[in-house]
């Protein structure tokens, strides 16, 4: 966390804890979930989330992470990532796709785009019987 953001989130600053939680949800969590594409870093990202929420709520050291997450109204990072992934996949399947197109790529109502050939590609030789 950069020095300026750390100064906003940590300690008994002038910001209310609900505003600190909002900063986390709108600024930091999108960055964390973007980095979550690499599953090897999930534990590190969860630690970052827990430390950030701990600072935002000014919680004592002995409070459990689950209690801090409940008090902040923030779900565990893995649950959030799963929910976003499910919502994303659900959104893809509901769009117009053309069978046989590139991996079910959404075509958005223009089926000719999926079947259009490259004009620079050589045309196939005609068959002579």
């Amino acid at each position: 966390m950069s020095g300026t953001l750390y100064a906003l989130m940590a300690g008994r600053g002038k910001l209310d804890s609900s505003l600190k939680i909002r900063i986390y949800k709108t600024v930091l969590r999108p960055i964390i979930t973007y980095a979550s594409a690499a599953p090897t870093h999930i534990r590190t990202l969860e630690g970052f989330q827990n430390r950030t929420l701990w600072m935002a709520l000014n919680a004592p050291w002995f409070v459990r992470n689950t209690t801090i997450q409940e008090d902040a109204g923030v779900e565990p990072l893995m649950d959030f990532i799963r929910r976003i992934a499910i919502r994303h996949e659900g959104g893809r399947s509901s769009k117009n796709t053309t069978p046989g197109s590139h991996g079910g790529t959404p075509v958005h109502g223009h089926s000719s785009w999926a079947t259009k050939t490259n004009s620079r590609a050589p045309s196939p030789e005609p068959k002579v019987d």
Side-chain angles (χ1 to χ4, degrees):
M1 196 178 320
S2 71
T4 307
L5 193 55
Y6 180 83
L8 285 173
M9 299 293 283
R12 297 190 170 121
K14 296 179 181 179
L15 293 179
D16 186 39
S17 58
S18 63
L19 185 56
K20 291 178 184 180
I21 299 300
R22 187 173 291 171
I23 290 171
Y24 168 76
K25 286 181 177 181
T26 58
V27 176
L28 296 174
R29 189 166 59 179
I31 295 169
I32 291 172
T33 54
Y34 181 76
S36 69
T40 56
H41 300 293
I42 294 295
R43 189 174 177 111
T44 304
L45 296 173
E46 286 175 339
F48 177 77
Q49 173 184 328
N50 294 333
R51 283 188 305 277
T52 305
L53 294 175
W54 177 77
M55 284 189 296
L57 294 176
N58 198 21
W61 63 269
F62 53 83
V63 178
R64 291 183 180 269
N65 291 330
T66 54
T67 305
I68 292 174
Q69 290 169 358
E70 289 170 6
D71 289 348
V74 175
E75 60 190 318
L77 189 61
M78 276 308 298
D79 294 347
F80 179 75
I81 292 169
R82 280 191 197 103
R83 186 170 55 85
I84 295 298
I86 290 169
R87 185 172 59 189
H88 176 70
E89 287 300 318
R92 283 181 86 187
S93 64
S94 66
K95 291 181 182 174
N96 183 15
T97 58
T98 303
S101 65
H102 180 58
T105 305
V107 184
H108 305 289
H110 298 284
S111 60
S112 63
W113 293 355
T115 57
K116 194 171 189 178
T117 59
N118 186 354
S119 61
R120 298 177 123 190
S123 60
E125 296 292 325
K127 291 185 177 181
V128 178
D129 290 328

